[in-house]
């Protein structure tokens, strides 16, 4: 069973070294793991809450997309899209807004912090607070629930928003009598690097202490590294590596062996100037190839746009039918009438198996319904004879016993092993309906 993971980055600025090490790099690494169905998006609607500069939002959308791609994100492997290119997300946001208690939003940390600041200033509690800030957690819930993500990696400051998303999903499911939404699980990645900035505090634009990732090229990178605050110990004096911001950043971009060697140099008296040069050399070695790809992408925004539109199309293949199901649930659409089953004489194509060779060279087969919908897709086989043998055994087996639920999909089991899987469903009810359709198709092909 695949695990759907979803994360987004707000498009309100230019990515820096801390963004890359803390969010982008681990997300790209996670997307390359087997069994991960990754959804990564640019949260440009969220950007409007705190940025009213259209040029900055537009530029940031390009820069963040180019950064992900330059860092190694494979858009063929993941679903990579802009939030604003999936109109079903704000529509779902409204449905969720209508079932969310105002009291829940009153407890949101960001809203409470803004009210506390206003109280401290002696102004009205809601002075300067817009509805975007107030209802931000509902839009975040829509981002997650639209694709029924199983796991959502977040920082500790976002845990409350995930808990709210679960509360909202449970409320909707309860009101409308079905498990429409999966309850997402929060993922706190303790091993992900949180980089110190130039002054030792967490690297953040809020503190103006960031190290540029690509902006300004190698000169800007070196200039920032040389501004990192150090203590007054002279060359030849032992340095405390664990208390050094230089060492913390170096370790985030080096192997354990390289980090150990750098620690030894510091503890045996390496001068701060030489240490900063070593850190710059290490960062430049990692970032230079990515910077070249980034600059090429930024010079060709049409390529970025093509990738994002393809990602939005992939996302909407799930969002559009799911939104139709949710509209019916709340009474905005009448349920579609059941189509009359055609007689055997009038029926067109029947359910069928189709064999093919995948882009990776593997031989596979799939079971298609009469209308062309995919009901099963096999694992890959190096030899077409092996694929054909599995197909024959599947076709000749007991359809009722071979198909078994597997999370939000289902598997075809032959001799105790899964040889094929059905498509991922949004909820158990949809999965069971697809599995029943697959059983009927297998039984028809077997002549039963």
């Amino acid at each position: 069973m695949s695990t759907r993971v979803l994360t987004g980055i707000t498009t309100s600025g230019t990515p820096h070294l801390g963004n890359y090490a803390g969010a982008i790099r681990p997300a790209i690494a996670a997307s390359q793991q087997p069994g991960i169905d990754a959804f990564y998006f640019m949260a440009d609607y969220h950007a409007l809450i705190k940025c009213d500069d259209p040029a900055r939002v537009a530029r940031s959308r390009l820069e963040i997309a180019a950064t992900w791609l330059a860092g190694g994100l494979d858009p063929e492997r993941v679903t990579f899209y802009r939030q604003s290119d999936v109109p079903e997300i704000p529509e779902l946001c409204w449905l969720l807004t209508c079932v969310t208690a105002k009291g829940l939003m009153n407890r949101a940390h960001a809203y409470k912090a803004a009210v506390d600041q206003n109280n401290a200033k002696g102004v009205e509690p809601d002075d300067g607070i817009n509805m975007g800030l107030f209802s931000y957690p509902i839009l975040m819930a829509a981002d997650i629930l639209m694709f029924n993500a199983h796991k959502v990696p977040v920082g500790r400051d976002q845990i409350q928003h995930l808990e709210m998303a679960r509360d909202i999903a449970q409320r909707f499911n309860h009101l409308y009598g079905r498990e429409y939404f999966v309850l997402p699980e929060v993922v706190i990645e303790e091993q992900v690097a949180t980089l110190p900035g130039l002054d030792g505090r967490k690297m953040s634009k809020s503190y103006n202490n960031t190290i540029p990732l690509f902006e300004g090229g190698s000169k800007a990178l070196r200039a920032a590294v040389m501004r990192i605050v150090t203590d007054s110990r002279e060359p030849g004096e032992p340095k405390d590596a664990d208390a050094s911001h230089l060492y913390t950043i170096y370790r985030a971009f080096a192997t354990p062996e390289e980090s150990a060697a750098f620690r030894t140099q510091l503890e045996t008296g390496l001068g701060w100037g030489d240490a900063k040069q070593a850190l710059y050399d290490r960062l430049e070695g990692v970032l230079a190839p990515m910077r070249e790809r980034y600059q090429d992408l930024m010079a060709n925004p049409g390529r970025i746009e093509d990738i994002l539109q393809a990602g939005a199309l992939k996302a909407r293949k799930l969002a559009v039918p799911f939104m139709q199901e949710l509209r019916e649930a709340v009474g905005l659409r009448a349920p579609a009438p059941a189509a009359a089953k055609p007689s055997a004489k009038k029926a067109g194509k029947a359910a069928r198996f189709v064999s093919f060779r995948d882009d990776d060279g593997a031989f596979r087969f799939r079971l298609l319904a009469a209308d062309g919908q995919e009901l099963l897709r096999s694992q890959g086989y190096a030899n077409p004879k092996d694929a054909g043998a599995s197909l024959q055994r599947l076709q000749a087996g007991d359809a009722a016993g071979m198909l078994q639920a597997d999370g939000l999909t289902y598997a075809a089991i032959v001799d105790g092993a899964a040889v094929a899987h059905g498509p991922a469903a949004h909820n158990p009810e949809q999965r069971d309906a697809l599995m029943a359709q697959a059983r009927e198709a297998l039984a028809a092909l077997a002549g039963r």
Side-chain angles (χ1 to χ4, degrees), residues 146 201 245 253 292 393:
M146 183 79 259
R201 292 180 293 178
H245 315 320
F253 290 88
E292 184 176 349
R393 298 184 72 179

Side-chain angles (χ1 to χ4, degrees), residues 174-194:
H174 174 73
L175 282 175
Y176 294 105
R178 271 182 50 192
E179 298 299 314
Y180 290 97
F181 298 120
V182 171
L183 302 187
E185 296 180 18
V186 64
V187 177
I188 302 296
E189 300 186 350
E190 302 288 358
Q191 303 304 314
V192 169
T194 299

Side-chain angles (χ1 to χ4, degrees), residues 5 25 46 120 152 189 227 239 244 253 269 277 303 331 363 377 418-419 437:
V5 177
R25 182 176 64 180
H46 287 291
V152 184
E189 300 186 350
R227 294 199 306 274
K239 313 296 189 298
S244 167
F253 290 88
Q277 182 63 43
R303 287 173 53 196
F363 294 91
R377 178 182 288 253
V419 298
Q437 192 176 356

Side-chain angles (χ1 to χ4, degrees), residues 254-265:
T255 65
E257 294 76 18
E258 291 166 336
S259 298
F262 189 54
R263 170 190 281 274
T264 299
Q265 289 179 302

Side-chain angles (χ1 to χ4, degrees), residues 132-419:
L133 173 65
F134 182 73
S135 59
Y136 165 89
I138 306 178
L139 179 56
M140 184 170 171
D143 292 326
I144 298 164
L145 301 178
M146 183 79 259
F147 300 106
N148 273 326
H150 301 107
K151 297 183 181 295
V152 184
V154 295
R156 292 195 173 276
D157 59 336
Q158 294 287 321
I159 292 177
Q160 186 197 43
H161 290 155
L162 261 293
E163 293 171 345
M164 287 179 166
R166 290 173 60 91
D167 288 344
I168 294 168
Q170 286 178 312
R171 175 66 174 163
F172 189 98
N173 289 345
H174 174 73
L175 282 175
Y176 294 105
R178 271 182 50 192
E179 298 299 314
Y180 290 97
F181 298 120
V182 171
L183 302 187
E185 296 180 18
V186 64
V187 177
I188 302 296
E189 300 186 350
E190 302 288 358
Q191 303 304 314
V192 169
T194 299
L195 298 189
L198 305 180
D199 58 2
R201 292 180 293 178
K202 177 183 176 181
M203 192 177 296
S204 170
K205 289 185 176 68
S206 301
Y207 300 141
N208 194 29
N209 69 348
T210 61
I211 296 175
L213 184 60
F214 302 131
E215 188 180 26
S218 59
K219 288 184 179 179
L221 175 63
R222 189 177 190 281
V225 169
M226 294 303 165
R227 294 199 306 274
I228 295 175
V229 175
T230 57
D231 62 32
S232 58
R233 299 183 199 188
E234 298 290 335
E237 291 186 69
K239 313 296 189 298
D240 182 355
D242 291 327
S244 167
H245 315 320
L246 289 172
Y247 177 69
T248 301
I249 298 172
Y250 188 98
R251 186 173 55 187
F253 290 88
T255 65
E257 294 76 18
E258 291 166 336
S259 298
F262 189 54
R263 170 190 281 274
T264 299
Q265 289 179 302
L266 289 171
E267 293 175 343
T268 54
L270 181 69
W272 287 125
D274 290 335
K276 289 180 178 180
Q277 182 63 43
L279 173 59
Y280 163 73
D281 291 340
R282 161 56 48 192
L283 293 176
E284 180 64 11
V286 172
L287 300 182
M290 289 192 288
R291 186 189 302 124
E292 184 176 349
R293 294 194 293 271
Y294 173 84
Q295 291 171 342
D296 180 56
L297 286 162
M298 290 298 291
N300 296 277
R303 287 173 53 196
I304 299 176
E305 185 66 21
D306 289 344
I307 291 170
L308 292 173
Q309 289 301 321
L313 183 62
K314 190 189 301 186
R316 295 196 70 204
K317 285 183 179 178
L318 295 175
V320 170
F322 188 37
M323 200 64 232
Q324 174 63 27
E325 186 179 354
L326 295 175
R327 291 188 196 109
E328 293 177 5
V330 301
L332 297 180
R333 298 286 189 280
K341 292 185 178 181
S343 66
K345 291 183 178 180
K346 294 182 178 179
K349 288 186 176 180
R352 61 200 184 279
F353 279 107
V354 175
S355 299
F356 64 101
R357 191 171 190 179
D358 216 339
D359 292 339
D360 60 4
F363 294 91
R364 301 177 189 271
F365 59 84
R366 53 188 176 183
L367 172 63
L368 300 180
D371 61 2
Q373 181 180 10
E374 184 175 282
L375 300 175
L376 285 171
R377 178 182 288 253
S378 77
Q379 65 182 31
Y381 293 88
N383 189 317
K385 291 184 178 179
D386 293 336
S390 287
L391 189 158
Q392 290 176 0
R393 298 184 72 179
L394 181 61
Q395 190 170 358
D398 175 13
M402 285 189 301
L403 298 187
Q404 298 179 12
D406 183 7
L408 288 181
T409 183
Y410 50 91
I413 308 298
V414 175
D415 295 335
V419 298

